[in-house]
Amino acid sequence: MSVLLVEAGGDDRDPAVVNPEMWPLNQGTERVWDFTTAPDPALNGRSLPYAMGRVLGGGGSVNVSIWIRGHRDDWDFFARETGDPAWGHDNVRRLFDRIESGPMWVQNTQDIHPYGEAVLAAAEENGFPRYANPNGALMNSERGTAPRQEIIRDGRRQSPYQSYVALRPRPNLTVLHDALVTEVLFDGNRAVGVKVRHAGQNLDIHASAEVVLSLGAVGTPKALMLSGVGEAAQLREHGIGVRAHLPGVGRNLNDHPVLAHVWHAADGADFSGPLESRAGVFWNLTSDAGDPPSILYAVPGAQTSQTVAARGGLPEHAATFLLGVRMHNTGQVRLASADPSVNPIIKTGFFTDPADSGSVLRALETARAIGMAPALKPFLKEEALPGPVGRDASLDYLRDAVQTFWHQSGTARMGRDDMAVLDSRLRVIGCEGLRVADASALPRVTVANTMAPSVLVGEQAAEFIRSDHGLSAGPEVSSATP
């Protein structure tokens, strides 16, 4: 079987991609989709920058390089939602073991700064068991703290694209970049190819076997809707003929908000060196927890939103806890136009459920306890933001400070109910020859970073395609392959 990989962005050889420490420099460049969310009353009327990868490798080429499999409860929940044990933790663990000993290079972080070590110790002082890394035993537990695992080798990003494609060229694979997929082509209800804009031309590219969309949790539902797959009323509103009425397309947008908890640094605290998100704290991970899963990463500087920064008064010598809490409500991606060049309308759903207020305030209290632990006294002096300002003022600050962790998922989810878009084998319901293989397929966002779960979805898609078309798996590959 021959494969054509179509990517809207360019190649991945820029230093800001290759060097993982330079990842923030990709923001605002041609290597990301500069989406913006709709103004949201729940966020004090703010719109959020909502970038996603637009380069060979997508988000895996521009992210923070953190590798977290997802919790046992996440995967067992997916198995229940789909009715398919292939998505359960036991089978997923088998696939992750194969991924991590094969195509992907995954290692424990090599540079734990003394500040990161202090964060881990402070979490231990607050009753969080310490683990060697955030996978394995921690992802079977209710809470814990660990240094991160990462896709970095000898200071270079080992992205999924590099690991699966660039380092292992195949004669049956063609890569076409700077080519925008605008629509899926159909013959009746069967997908037979894609429309592409490339080098100033509009091309129809036909597929003999399948079309697989992997455009991310914003791009995938947009492409489906432009192709006539989605909520019928919304499609007709934009003059798009209805191919398949699937009201769940674009719904169920899951993401982790970033809630910036800023601290005045202690006098003489040294934050120089590799610091970015090297230590993590995780809690409320099991289904019987009273609050949704929460994560904490510690970074240097006062890293909060532009809205808060514009007010001034941020401490010059500071550190920040980046808090993420799974929100109770989900958001939505809707078409703004039938023109493929127009960005869709994105609503995050952050803070739209009253229960979110209590969850984030309790997460903030946990973060306060960690920040005030004796182990962190050489680095943190006192809380700067939101500070001791009371419940209402704290919530107002958090609504102004919230950003995204870029963990967008769920907008073309698998399931068995009326809002499901995909079956358990990632096939678009009501369409033949069309699959989705990205985080939009996940019924909910996993407990933390979504790169590893996205790679797992790709591996599952490969297994399903091989099975459905009677293809052999091919030779096993090793991550040690040069």
Side-chain angles (χ1 to χ4, degrees), residues 198-217:
H198 176 64
Q201 295 183 312
N202 293 322
L203 307 174
D204 286 358
I205 301 176
H206 291 271
S208 60
E210 289 196 13
V211 174
V212 181
L213 296 180
S214 186
L215 308 177

Side-chain angles (χ1 to χ4, degrees), residues 21 106-113 117 120 132-134 146-152 274 276-279:
E21 296 295 330
V106 179
Q107 66 178 24
N108 291 342
T109 188
Q110 302 297 294
D111 300 297
I112 298 290
H113 190 277
E117 289 286 359
L120 297 171
N133 61 63
R148 76 182 192 181
Q149 284 197 312
E150 57 195 15
I151 56 164
I152 299 172
E276 198 71 36
S277 307
R278 290 299 200 275

Side-chain angles (χ1 to χ4, degrees), residues 26 54 98 112 124 195-196 205 216 235 239 263 268 369 381 388 403 431 440 464:
N26 292 297
R54 182 179 179 169
R98 189 176 76 192
I112 298 290
E124 284 189 280
K195 285 184 176 292
V196 172
I205 301 176
L235 301 180
W263 294 79
K381 182 164 55 179
Q403 302 175 86
C431 301
S440 65
F464 298 149

